[in-house]
């Protein structure tokens, strides 16, 4: 099932855990909004494909990978992405300058990925952050600066 021109439900629900990861209709609606309002604009902005390394997570999947207890991934509001052929620091700078309607964008330079989120049902915070951790829900976080 296609959620937008370049993103599918299959890639946004893929997991290597072997655990059930079936989104409810509300999760699919949130994933569709994430794709349309954030992922597609990022792909256009960067001019490269975007690889989704983690999208929707069932509570079982989230627990297995030690995700944050209140992770937006479990709501279908978040994805961890890797822009193909573009350094995450460069991508983060372009995303920040574009002022997309994001809830959060967190760059994980040590992990080589960017977490993006979009909340269709509430006001988005527009937070641009950097994590000192290599991945997961690890902080500490600081405000992103170029």
């Amino acid at each position: 099932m296609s959620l937008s021109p370049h993103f599918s439900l299959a890639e946004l629900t893929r997991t290597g855990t072997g655990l059930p990861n079936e989104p409810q209709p509300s999760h699919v609606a949130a994933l569709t909004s994430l794709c349309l309002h954030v992922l597609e604009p990022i792909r256009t902005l960067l001019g490269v494909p975007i690889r989704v390394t983690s999208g929707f997570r069932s509570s079982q999947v989230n627990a297995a990978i030690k995700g944050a207890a209140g992770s937006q991934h479990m709501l279908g509001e978040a994805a961890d992405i890797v822009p193909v052929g573009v350094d995450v620091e460069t991508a983060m700078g372009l995303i920040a300058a574009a002022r997309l309607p994001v809830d959060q964008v967190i760059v994980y330079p040590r992990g080589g990925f960017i977490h993006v989120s979009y909340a269709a049902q509430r006001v988005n915070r527009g937070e641009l952050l950097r994590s000192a951790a290599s991945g997961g829900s690890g902080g500490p976080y600081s405000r992103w600066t170029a």
Side-chain angles (χ1 to χ4, degrees):
M1 172 183 182
S2 179
L3 299 176
S4 69
H6 297 100
F7 298 95
S8 69
L9 183 60
E11 74 183 301
L12 280 143
T13 57
R14 184 176 25 237
T15 178
T17 65
L19 296 168
N21 201 41
E22 296 298 319
Q24 298 298 313
S26 62
H27 302 135
V28 175
L31 287 167
T32 301
S33 291
L34 175 68
C35 289
L36 295 174
H37 295 283
V38 178
L39 296 179
E40 286 291 345
I42 289 173
R43 189 181 193 284
T44 299
L45 175 70
L46 300 180
V48 298
I50 301 297
R51 185 169 50 93
V52 177
T53 59
S54 182
F56 171 78
R57 298 180 196 150
S58 67
S59 58
Q60 298 94 333
V61 169
N62 196 61
I65 67 160
K66 297 179 176 47
S71 175
Q72 286 182 283
H73 287 273
M74 294 188 300
L75 302 173
E77 295 179 349
D80 297 337
I81 62 171
V82 176
V84 177
V86 177
D87 174 80
V88 294
E89 291 279 351
T90 301
M92 182 68 172
L94 293 169
I95 293 166
R99 302 179 58 94
L100 298 173
V102 297
D103 190 49
Q104 286 186 317
V105 180
I106 307 170
V107 65
Y108 289 81
R110 289 181 40 206
F113 71 96
I114 300 170
H115 166 93
V116 296
S117 65
Y118 176 80
Q121 301 300 315
R122 61 185 182 283
V123 175
N124 286 284
R125 296 172 281 183
E127 290 184 332
L128 303 172
L129 305 169
R130 174 187 308 278
S131 176
S134 59
S137 57
Y141 298 107
S142 59
R143 295 279 172 215
W144 185 84
T145 56

